[in-house]
Amino acid sequence: MSLVEIARYADVYEADLAAAFLASYDIEVSVTERFQTTVDPLMQRALGIRLMGYAEDVDQARELLERVRQGEFMETDGGDVPTEPRARWAGRGIALFAVMASGYPATSLPRRLKPIQIAGMLLIVAMIILSWVLWLWVM
């Protein structure tokens, strides 16, 4: 029995979710490159994370993953991630506030930000600092 690549992911967590989903359908898979990417997270982008499975399960696994991409398994009761723009922006704002307030920079959030968003964050931080300085100066 030889192992064949079923799918390739840019993030180890996404690959783990796909592996758990396929395991729930009794398809045995393994997530490769885990050691290299945990030692050096930048290697996730370079290597990608491969989901490997047995050759006889490849077609069924790929079909299931395609059905997931099509949204077939999404819940309709609103339990999934919100897709409305205002809700997404509110979530991003809360996440940015949590990162800035906690001083914990080791999250995956900064690598997902676009340059315009980083510039906006820096502008907000500069405005907060300026308001503190002005407040101290007035007092």
Side-chain angles (χ1 to χ4, degrees):
M1 293 188 166
S2 63
L3 291 177
V4 178
E5 181 178 322
I6 294 173
R8 188 177 292 250
Y9 295 95
D11 191 82
V12 69
Y13 304 113
E14 188 178 8
D16 283 338
L17 284 172
F21 174 75
L22 291 175
S24 71
Y25 281 89
D26 295 326
I27 298 174
E28 206 174 317
V29 295
S30 64
V31 179
T32 61
E33 287 90 16
R34 180 181 303 281
F35 178 72
Q36 293 92 338
T37 58
T38 53
V39 169
D40 185 7
L42 294 176
M43 292 302 288
Q44 285 184 17
R45 302 274 187 207
L47 294 176
I49 308 296
R50 293 184 299 166
L51 197 61
M52 304 293 283
Y54 293 114
E56 63 267 7
D57 295 332
V58 170
D59 292 332
Q60 182 186 7
R62 287 182 180 161
E63 178 195 346
L64 283 169
L65 291 175
E66 182 57 34
R67 289 169 55 193
V68 168
R69 283 188 205 96
Q70 298 296 324
E72 183 177 327
F73 299 99
M74 288 181 66
E75 295 178 5
T76 58
D77 64 352
D80 290 309
V81 176
T83 57
E84 300 89 29
R86 282 194 277 171
R88 288 175 44 211
W89 279 106
R92 288 177 184 162
I94 291 169
L96 288 174
F97 176 76
V99 168
M100 289 174 18
S102 68
Y104 183 68
T107 109
S108 63
L109 183 64
R111 71 175 179 201
R112 293 184 180 147
L113 292 175
K114 294 180 174 60
I116 189 75
Q117 293 169 322
I118 293 173
M121 277 180 39
L122 293 175
L123 182 64
I124 290 170
V125 169
M127 289 173 31
I128 291 171
I129 291 172
L130 181 64
S131 65
W132 285 341
V133 168
L134 289 174
W135 182 74
L136 289 173
W137 184 59
V138 169
M139 297 309 255

